[in-house]
Amino acid sequence: MIRLRPEAPSLRLGMALVCSLVVVTACSGPSAQAIPTPSGAVAPSALPILPIPPTAPASARAAATAAATARPSEKPAAHTTSTTPPAVSGPRTILGGCQVFPTSNPWNENVANLPVSPMSATYIAAIDATKQFLHPDFGSNPTYGIPYTVVPASQKFVPITFNAYGDESNPGPYPVPLNAPVESGSDRHVLVLDSGNCHLYEMYDAQQVGSGWVCASGAVFNLSSNALRPDGWTSADAAGLPILPGLALYNEVAAGVINHALRFTVAETQNGFIHPATHFASSSSNPDLPPMGLRLRLEASFSLAGFTGEALVILKALKTYGMIVADNGSSWYISGATDPRWNDNNLDELKSVPGSAFQVVETGPILH
């Protein structure tokens, strides 16, 4: 699948704000487990992972947004911020000894009881305009999906050079192995979790050059914090979100449960975003198009009879935690980590789930 980036660099460069949080650098690349990890780097194949854009839960998120990121000229859409349901006790994804964001983080938020957005049918119709069924953008093919790598505290930091969105990126160096896997395709994401300080480093359009890496943008996320990137800043993803927290991981699916939301793409978006997203990648002011950061969930009434294995686990997660619009690309494509153990025949069951089975939930106002 081709993941579209902003139509013009100015859309991403012109919105830079001073950032007080750590951002993740994203670059594409093969899945973490598929590559050898030098200098003691640990392959993530045996570790589960969770989505993570640093953000506060629904109600706290709106307050933090207004206090820390809203611009004087902004006039948020007339959307009502919903109340976050009580945190659900239970296991959380641990990767490299690090919990992927606090339990109160939006990526880990149970949205099963959040109110449906009055724009739900309109947004679903817009997404359905090009494709109408769910599609797993990952599988057993080692070049399919987004890879990631877990490295130890001893991992050497290397220089990072930005060739496009440096003013919206967290400066290097980053602890990225020179042989870190790069996502196949045009996005060339590289995701590295430093287990020494529980920071996530992500890069977009990355290439290993000399003693370091060159990429279009990079972000660093503190996995123990709910802090968001500055409004207007991108990340390794168009929406300014972390990528790793939104991936379906084989180990967590094999264990029978995904405790976080998933990342997905849509063909067209509007020039607006909803926290925890902080960036848009469109010049369209069409209010009927979904904004970055829009949260969808699979309707509770959708029957899961007949679904099995990995597909069943993923669909249960979509009912409880939902999925978040993170980038422009093929509509209804959900993301997963590269892993040869995926059962493609089972994942194909997801392709029978129609977009009409989803609904948009209220998580906050649209910012422009």
Side-chain angles (χ1 to χ4, degrees):
M1 169 186 86
I2 297 176
R3 297 181 183 81
L4 305 177
R5 302 303 296 183
E7 291 78 0
S10 59
L11 287 176
R12 300 180 71 163
L13 296 171
M15 303 174 65
L17 296 177
V18 177
C19 172
S20 61
L21 68 136
V22 192
V23 184
V24 178
T25 307
C27 299
S28 70
S31 77
Q33 61 191 33
I35 52 149
T37 47
S39 304
V42 180
S45 59
L47 299 168
I49 183 171
L50 209 60
I52 58 168
T55 310
S59 58
R61 184 183 316 153
T65 297
T69 53
R71 288 169 233 151
S73 60
E74 287 176 339
K75 294 182 179 180
H79 287 28
T80 305
T81 301
S82 55
T83 302
T84 304
V88 177
S89 60
R92 286 291 177 255
T93 298
I94 303 297
L95 184 62
C98 303
Q99 176 170 309
V100 183
F101 290 124
T103 54
S104 60
N105 191 274
W107 282 103
N108 303 326
E109 179 185 355
N110 183 329
V111 299
N113 297 316
L114 291 188
V116 176
S117 165
M119 288 289 290
S120 181
T122 300
Y123 288 144
I124 297 299
I127 301 173
D128 265 350
T130 55
K131 291 183 182 296
Q132 294 77 44
F133 291 89
L134 203 62
H135 186 99
D137 195 19
F138 56 95
S140 63
N141 185 326
T143 64
Y144 203 30
I146 302 177
Y148 69 94
T149 300
V150 176
V151 300
S154 59
Q155 181 62 48
K156 178 182 178 181
F157 279 66
V158 299
I160 304 295
T161 301
F162 304 105
N163 58 17
Y165 311 111
D167 59 346
E168 296 177 20
S169 298
N170 290 88
Y174 295 163
V176 180
L178 298 184
N179 64 346
V182 179
E183 178 190 13
S184 297
S186 61
D187 281 1
R188 296 185 59 81
H189 289 117
V190 171
L191 315 181
V192 173
L193 190 157
D194 183 346
S195 62
N197 58 22
C198 291
H199 283 177
L200 174 63
Y201 298 79
E202 297 184 346
M203 297 185 290
Y204 162 62
D205 193 17
Q207 291 189 0
Q208 194 281 309
V209 178
S211 61
W213 290 79
V214 174
C215 61
S217 62
V220 181
F221 295 92
N222 182 343
L223 297 183
S224 65
S225 171
N226 282 336
L228 296 179
R229 294 178 66 74
D231 279 357
W233 278 37
T234 186
S235 61
D237 225 350
L241 295 168
I243 296 174
L244 186 57
L247 299 182
L249 306 180
Y250 178 81
N251 285 338
E252 59 186 359
V253 172
V257 63
I258 294 177
N259 294 303
H260 58 83
L262 295 179
R263 169 190 186 273
F264 85 113
T265 59
V266 299
E268 293 185 87
T269 54
Q270 62 167 279
N271 57 356
F273 57 84
I274 298 174
H275 284 169
T278 59
H279 184 265
F280 60 76
S282 172
S283 59
S284 177
S285 58
N286 184 349
D288 293 343
L289 294 177
M292 290 293 181
L294 191 71
R295 187 102 170 222
L296 283 69
R297 70 173 173 228
L298 185 61
E299 292 183 1
S301 60
F302 183 77
S303 176
L304 299 184
F307 291 98
T308 60
E310 297 156 6
L312 181 60
V313 173
I314 291 172
L315 292 177
K316 286 181 177 179
L318 291 175
K319 283 193 174 188
T320 304
Y321 298 97
M323 56 188 188
I324 302 174
V325 176
D327 200 353
N328 293 318
S330 295
S331 291
W332 301 115
Y333 274 43
I334 56 175
S335 303
T338 305
D339 198 305
R341 296 173 294 177
W342 288 113
N343 182 320
D344 295 328
N345 289 331
N346 186 254
L347 291 177
D348 280 347
E349 293 180 12
L350 297 173
K351 297 177 182 179
S352 66
V353 180
S356 58
F358 287 85
Q359 53 192 186
V360 176
V361 297
E362 287 281 10
T363 57
I366 299 175
L367 303 179
H368 298 279

